[in-house]
Amino acid sequence: MKHIAPALMATVALTLPLAATAQGAGERPDRTAFRSLYKELVETNTTSSVGDCTKAAQQVAARLRTAGFIDRDLTMYVPDGRPRDGGLVATYAGSNAKEPALLLLAHIDVVEAKREDWVRDPFTLIEEDGYFYARGSSDDKAQAAIFSDTLIRWKQSGFKPRRTVKLALTCGEEGTNERVLNGAGWLVDNRPELVKAGFAFNEGGGGRTAPGGGPETLGVQVSQKSPRNFILEVTNRGGHSSQPQPDNAIYRLATALTKVSTLQFPVNLNPVSKAYLAQAGALRKDAVGVAMVQLAKEPDDAKAAALVSSDLSLNPLLRTTCVATLIEGGHAANALPQRVTASINCRIAPGETADQTKAAIEQVIADPQVKVLRSKIQERPVAVTPPLDPAILKPIAAIGAKHFPGIPVIPTQSAGATDATYLSKLNIPTYGIPGLWNDPATAGTHGLNERISTDALYRGRDYIYDLATYFASH
């Protein structure tokens, strides 16, 4: 991309549609069709167990056709043998074919949800007390609906972008086992021409809700850690429980797990995590905030690192982390265990490898009878951190200032992982955009009673529309 002109704010204001720059009171007429699309997408079950991503993608494709897209603009894909794991790639052609395309990536699959556990039906969109409740109301059908709605509004208004914009709605992002097929990965490996782009916008940014409502901060996810799973395994001959033995497999595994619980990886900062510590720390008025700023300047400052590490939400930003998540063993209540295992979930900091992490686990356990094995759970590619590119970040912040005056937009590094990891294989810089803020403690993402505030959904829609319009035009 070209460098941003000094008069960016003026340029942004001039290039955005007037309808998108005003915040009206009450329900706006243009929100009716969007809410219908959002509701249909949310209420279409897309869990891996019984859901149907193909159906959801077809529903969006039908809406795009109604808006004026033709068949050559829309590619429905269904991987062989996976009839429910299909997705959609829609292309909105730009006037300059030489300009690298913008890819809008969103996943339409959701985490499992059991009706008996939820207060409300997880697959019925319910608006209550200023929130939308449903599985996928936030992750990630809010963004999928907004991206789709953006293309529909462009087509209906006759918008002529300078660069081509691609929309990819994929399945399988939430997969946690070998039976789940990741749609973004499938496209990269099998149809890379469909998603080839100069840069991409994705989930993972968002922001944090302020105590009184609205966003407190907005985040641009630039970096993310790589999840890797390991299995600790102990086996022996077992025997009758009436004759206890000192090398009981459960005891040996328990000792190993206790050692893993003490494993703390060294501080490993990168330009993104340093930027976050410096900017977010400056907003805080406490000792942790001071330590954050200091650590960004001096990553070897052990005192500052210890203070920042004491915050459970900040500790993963500083280093690789590993934690026990599952345990299994024994075969009878009256028999000594012959095989016991534990799953260790690690989130590896950028620049480190799975082999290095495995070696660190083996070193802290220091017991050759405890095997450390790689899990068979589907592994994402190692994330590649894109640059802190002013051509991307400055417009994101400038347009954010128009929609959310006085709210800082901060580069972030996620402790989780998104489908941006697959785009790394095609060298596509991918940024998790802000706009859809939430309170992590109450959002219910991947848990019970998932929700997003109506304010965040509607204001986020306006922001993302303006953001996509700006980059499509430049």
Side-chain angles (χ1 to χ4, degrees):
M1 291 190 63
K2 298 178 177 63
H3 292 295
I4 299 299
L8 172 62
M9 286 298 294
T11 302
V12 169
L14 288 173
T15 57
L16 297 178
L18 292 177
T21 61
Q23 288 288 337
E27 183 73 5
R28 297 198 328 238
D30 67 289
R31 290 176 176 168
T32 302
F34 166 69
R35 177 165 174 160
S36 173
L37 185 161
Y38 175 61
K39 176 180 173 66
E40 181 178 55
L41 194 55
V42 167
E43 294 188 347
T44 301
N45 188 323
T46 53
T47 58
S48 63
S49 61
V50 299
D52 194 336
C53 287
T54 303
K55 178 181 178 181
Q58 290 170 337
Q59 291 168 340
V60 175
R63 289 177 178 268
L64 291 169
R65 287 191 183 92
T66 299
F69 284 81
I70 59 179
D71 286 345
R72 72 182 181 194
D73 301 326
L74 306 174
T75 301
M76 281 290 309
Y77 70 91
V78 181
D80 290 343
R82 318 286 299 214
R84 296 186 292 112
D85 294 346
L88 170 69
V89 178
T91 301
Y92 199 114
S95 60
N96 186 350
K98 295 182 179 180
E99 194 72 31
L102 164 62
L103 174 65
L104 305 176
L105 176 66
H107 68 87
I108 54 176
D109 64 308
V110 296
V111 171
E112 302 291 335
K114 295 181 179 180
R115 176 64 186 93
E116 60 268 26
D117 296 335
W118 284 54
V119 173
R120 308 160 192 84
D121 182 353
F123 297 104
T124 299
L125 184 68
I126 296 175
E127 183 176 0
E128 185 179 303
D129 298 329
Y131 288 89
F132 285 116
Y133 289 86
R135 172 60 85 220
S137 58
S138 175
D139 184 16
D140 184 33
K141 290 182 176 179
Q143 193 173 68
I146 290 171
F147 283 163
S148 303
D149 172 73
T150 294
L151 267 63
I152 289 171
R153 293 166 71 188
W154 284 350
K155 183 66 73 172
Q156 291 173 335
S157 68
F159 172 61
K160 304 294 184 184
R162 181 170 180 270
R163 74 171 71 244
T164 293
V165 178
K166 300 178 180 181
L167 167 66
L169 302 179
T170 64
C171 196
E173 195 275 344
E174 302 290 9
T176 57
N177 60 62
E178 62 271 21
R179 297 186 302 275
V180 176
L181 177 71
N182 184 281
W186 187 91
L187 285 169
V188 167
D189 292 338
N190 295 276
R191 298 293 304 276
E193 76 283 359
L194 290 178
V195 292
K196 183 179 179 181
F199 61 107
F201 290 157
N202 185 34
E203 65 171 335
R208 183 179 292 271
T209 303
E216 183 176 60
T217 59
L218 294 169
V220 185
Q221 185 195 68
V222 183
S223 178
Q224 55 189 289
K225 299 168 82 174
S226 298
R228 289 292 182 270
N229 293 280
F230 301 92
I231 302 296
L232 306 188
E233 180 184 68
V234 181
T235 60
N236 66 28
R237 64 187 183 278
H240 200 287
S241 62
S242 64
Q243 297 179 348
Q245 301 170 12
D247 64 343
N248 184 299
I250 289 177
Y251 297 158
R252 188 174 292 276
L253 180 64
T255 299
L257 288 173
T258 299
K259 292 178 179 179
V260 171
S261 73
T262 68
L263 175 60
Q264 186 176 66
F265 288 80
V267 172
N268 182 359
L269 302 183
N270 57 61
V272 178
S273 53
K274 287 180 181 178
Y276 177 83
L277 288 171
Q279 296 179 41
L283 298 173
R284 297 180 60 151
K285 307 300 180 183
D286 58 7
V288 173
V290 174
M292 291 168 66
V293 174
Q294 173 61 22
L295 192 60
K297 295 178 181 177
E298 299 291 342
D300 294 330
D301 189 322
K303 183 177 179 181
L307 189 53
V308 176
S309 299
S310 67
D311 186 313
L312 294 180
S313 66
L314 294 174
N315 179 59
L317 179 68
L318 307 187
R319 53 173 57 86
T320 292
T321 61
C322 291
V323 61
T325 55
L326 295 169
I327 190 167
E328 182 178 356
H331 59 281
N334 59 352
L336 301 177
Q338 297 170 354
R339 181 177 181 271
V340 293
T341 63
S343 295
I344 305 296
N345 179 261
C346 297
R347 305 292 173 138
I348 302 174
E352 298 178 17
T353 68
D355 287 341
Q356 290 173 324
T357 305
K358 179 174 179 286
I361 296 172
E362 291 172 333
Q363 183 176 11
V364 74
I365 292 174
D367 184 347
Q369 294 189 47
V370 180
K371 296 179 181 178
V372 182
L373 310 171
R374 293 287 288 269
S375 170
K376 294 181 180 180
I377 291 178
Q378 182 185 64
E379 291 187 349
R380 299 173 183 270
V382 175
V384 177
T385 301
L388 290 166
D389 187 352
I392 299 291
L393 300 182
K394 284 188 176 180
I396 287 176
I399 298 170
K402 178 174 76 71
H403 285 271
F404 312 105
I407 306 302
V409 179
I410 303 173
T412 64
Q413 174 177 291
S414 173
T418 72
D419 279 342
T421 56
Y422 292 97
L423 298 185
S424 294
K425 295 172 68 175
L426 297 179
N427 298 314
I428 301 174
T430 304
Y431 301 85
I433 56 175
L436 298 173
W437 70 89
N438 228 326
D439 181 357
T442 61
T445 303
H446 288 204
L448 295 177
N449 307 313
E450 182 178 346
R451 71 180 190 175
I452 186 172
S453 74
T454 56
D455 184 41
L457 181 70
Y458 287 136
R459 290 176 67 188
R461 171 183 178 247
D462 289 341
Y463 168 76
I464 292 171
Y465 177 85
D466 282 1
L467 185 71
T469 302
Y470 174 84
F471 280 99
S473 305
H474 289 75

